Amino acid sequence: LPRRAVETGASLLVRGGDVLTLEGEPIRDGSVAIERGRITAVGKRVAAPRGARVLDATDAIVVPGFVQTHVHLCQTLFRGLADDLPLLDWLRRRIFPLEAAHDERSLRASARLGCAELLRSGTTAVLTMESVHDTDVVFEALAESGLHAAAGRCLIDRGDGLPRRLRDGARRAMAESLDLARRWHGAAGGRLRYALAPRFVPGCTEGLLREVAAEARSRSLLVHTHASENRDEVALVRRLTGRDNVRYLDDVGLSGTHVVVAHAIHLSAAEVSLLARRGTRVAHCPSSNLKLGSGVAPVARLRRAGVCVSLGADGAACNNRLDPFIEMRLASGLAAIAGKPGDVGARAALEMATIEGARALGLEREMGSLAVGKLGNLAVVGRRSLQATPVDDPVSAIVHSATAADVRHVVVEGRVLVRDGRLTGYDEAEVRADAERERRRVLSRARLR
Ligand SMILES: [Zn+2]
């Protein structure tokens, strides 16, 4: 990202909390100073920058803003409309028809609701996969939100049972993606980036996947896809390609540090080492994996092998929240089931939700921890709640006790986007009313069976 002074907030001093920098030990009763969008001091005694506004972090924990590396803003409106189904039925019977029924207005309502919820929960950066049409609308909503985001229109050029409106030729899919990249990559002062988003192997021809691989390399774009989420999906990929999913992605050029694979649950030992060797990123989505009954990802094994594993809520249609706290807690719990308690302890879960997320986006020098020179992206999480009492260890309090409702302030590049538990950039009642109205409209268009 280019260094810049545009579109950033005033000087700020976040004062009086336990600061989890993720660079070293927690700083008790510490402060963070932010000027022109970047952190200028972190420590026990920090002078207020000239003209700084003070954000109170008394009885609170200051953490780096959460980075969620797998969400779908276009699905926020489908919350509660696709419960209790396994992946392929969930897609064919609900999600594809609903995505096909979006128009610009419903998509905008969906994206705004998602952005508001993400910010309110302390999330400051996301990687999001969108639908086939009108992705400009999502970028507009992201620009307005103040979030950091990499987003992409999904690429899909095969698959049975796909509604006509989502059927897409590889040529048009690629051309539209590159147009979007020209308009949005680096926009909003560098807060927005484009990510090429092939949906998943059963939805993409080999020609399309190879083209994505080539364009991503030549234009230095992220690639965001799903793989090995569900046993039936893995079997389908074997039938279509004769290979395991991650192996096949590697064969068509989709591996490396710029590739983020969501889920990666059903992997062979060879695929685990392939992910590690190539530096391919994994986005772990524990709530979604539980709700769709997809399986338990081998997160501890991946991390031991050296794979960067970060967290994402996935879409609201399969979670149904966009809350990083529940994802941290479940990541730790699922790893305890797969192995033993402590395999993904509280500290590891917090790293996955912050610095590993930043690494997945290639932005670990810009965000993911609280250090001088990094962007001023942070969340202040209150610990006066009953469920966080009497916890001394702030890492345990964040991962095992806190919820999104405990988030007091959220700052992105020095701009206060949540203050005292209230969104500063949105009228929450208006966002909700718009979402209710557009949900009814999208449902009447979708004619679900
Ligand atoms: Zn997903």
Side-chain angles (χ1 to χ4, degrees):
L1 292 183
R3 293 241 158 200
R4 63 195 180 279
V6 292
E7 216 204 74
T8 52
S11 299
L12 263 188
L13 183 69
V14 181
R15 189 167 67 191
D18 288 342
V19 182
L20 297 179
T21 64
L22 294 206
E23 300 273 333
E25 289 303 300
I27 303 166
R28 300 284 180 165
D29 194 14
S31 297
V32 181
I34 300 171
E35 293 175 75
R36 288 184 298 282
R38 288 189 183 261
I39 296 172
T40 51
V42 188
K44 257 200 122 41
R45 254 171 284 283
V46 170
R50 260 165 63 108
R53 293 154 74 182
V54 174
L55 267 189
D56 177 38
T58 316
D59 289 332
I61 301 163
V62 184
V63 290
F66 299 112
V67 181
Q68 296 206 46
T69 56
H70 184 62
V71 300
H72 300 264
L73 291 175
C74 62
Q75 292 176 12
T76 322
L77 220 53
F78 312 152
R79 194 192 318 267
L81 291 180
D83 293 345
D84 306 327
L85 292 168
L87 177 69
L88 297 179
D89 285 343
W90 176 85
L91 279 170
R92 287 171 188 149
R93 288 171 50 191
R94 298 280 156 173
I95 297 308
F96 285 148
L98 284 165
E99 283 191 20
H102 259 315
D103 64 8
E104 289 195 15
R105 272 169 57 186
S106 60
L107 186 58
R108 180 173 286 109
S110 188
R112 291 179 78 227
L113 178 65
C115 290
E117 185 185 356
L118 286 161
L119 280 170
R120 182 63 191 77
S121 69
T123 303
T124 57
V126 290
L127 175 60
T128 181
M129 181 187 291
E130 294 308 310
S131 192
V132 169
H133 299 286
D134 304 322
T135 304
D136 285 294
V137 164
V138 176
F139 274 104
E140 286 160 16
L142 283 165
E144 165 199 87
S145 73
L147 283 162
H148 273 268
R153 161 209 207 278
C154 97
L155 295 144
I156 187 162
D157 72 335
R158 73 165 168 192
D160 27 280
L162 205 61
R164 178 177 308 182
R165 192 167 135 79
L166 296 188
R167 260 178 240 166
D168 211 7
R171 179 178 301 222
R172 195 184 71 182
M174 249 352 261
E176 283 192 11
S177 295
L178 298 178
D179 277 348
L180 284 159
R182 270 188 284 278
R183 284 197 287 280
W184 294 105
H185 193 61
R191 273 196 295 110
L192 303 183
R193 292 190 301 158
Y194 197 78
L196 291 166
R199 189 115 188 182
F200 68 154
V201 169
C204 302
T205 59
E206 180 158 338
L208 176 60
L209 293 175
R210 287 188 184 279
E211 211 181 327
V212 168
E215 293 291 354
R217 286 190 194 280
S218 75
R219 294 164 198 264
S220 299
L221 296 175
L222 290 173
V223 178
H224 180 199
T225 191
H226 299 96
S228 304
E229 175 174 2
N230 168 290
R231 287 190 196 284
D232 292 341
E233 173 216 354
V234 169
L236 179 57
V237 170
R238 260 196 217 110
R239 216 158 50 238
L240 291 168
T241 71
R243 276 158 286 179
D244 284 338
N245 206 337
V246 168
R247 169 90 262 166
Y248 174 75
L249 286 175
D250 186 67
D251 286 347
V252 299
L254 289 176
S255 57
T257 55
H258 64 298
V259 178
V260 180
V261 172
H263 305 301
I265 297 171
H266 305 285
L267 304 172
S268 68
E271 288 180 300
V272 171
S273 52
L274 187 58
L275 288 168
R277 234 175 20 254
R278 300 284 195 253
T280 306
R281 296 3 184 153
V282 167
H284 178 41
C285 308
S287 288
S288 165
N289 298 165
L290 282 164
K291 184 153 182 276
L292 297 179
S294 299
V296 180
V299 169
R301 195 147 55 93
L302 287 164
R303 280 171 57 88
R304 273 197 300 274
V307 178
C308 166
V309 185
S310 50
L311 293 177
D314 209 342
C318 64
N319 186 306
N320 297 358
R321 314 176 198 170
L322 305 179
D323 173 354
F325 292 91
I326 190 85
E327 302 311 314
M328 286 189 284
R329 176 175 158 83
L330 290 178
S332 180
L334 281 182
I337 296 289
K340 60 180 187 315
D343 278 1
V344 172
R347 169 86 195 188
L350 179 58
E351 286 171 0
M352 287 164 66
T354 53
I355 187 67
E356 294 303 305
R359 201 184 316 284
L361 303 183
L363 296 176
E364 69 273 20
R365 284 199 293 274
E366 294 282 359
M367 57 178 76
S369 68
L370 301 178
V372 171
K374 283 196 168 185
L375 295 170
N377 297 2
L378 57 81
V380 177
V381 183
R383 59 190 308 178
R384 282 189 196 130
S385 65
L386 292 173
Q387 81 271 7
T389 306
V391 184
D392 183 52
D393 175 3
V395 177
S396 174
I398 289 290
V399 172
H400 292 304
S401 293
T403 72
D406 297 317
V407 172
R408 189 186 297 173
H409 312 302
V410 179
V411 178
V412 182
E413 295 191 25
R415 295 201 294 158
V416 183
L417 300 181
V418 175
R419 183 191 296 278
D420 296 318
R422 300 185 77 88
L423 291 156
T424 60
Y426 292 95
D427 175 345
E428 205 173 298
E430 185 264 322
V431 169
R432 291 185 49 241
D434 190 30
E436 299 282 2
R437 184 172 54 244
E438 292 305 321
R439 172 186 181 276
R440 282 194 294 276
R441 292 182 60 241
V442 97
L443 261 178
S444 76
R445 289 193 297 266
R447 294 199 191 85
L448 295 179
R449 276 165 292 137

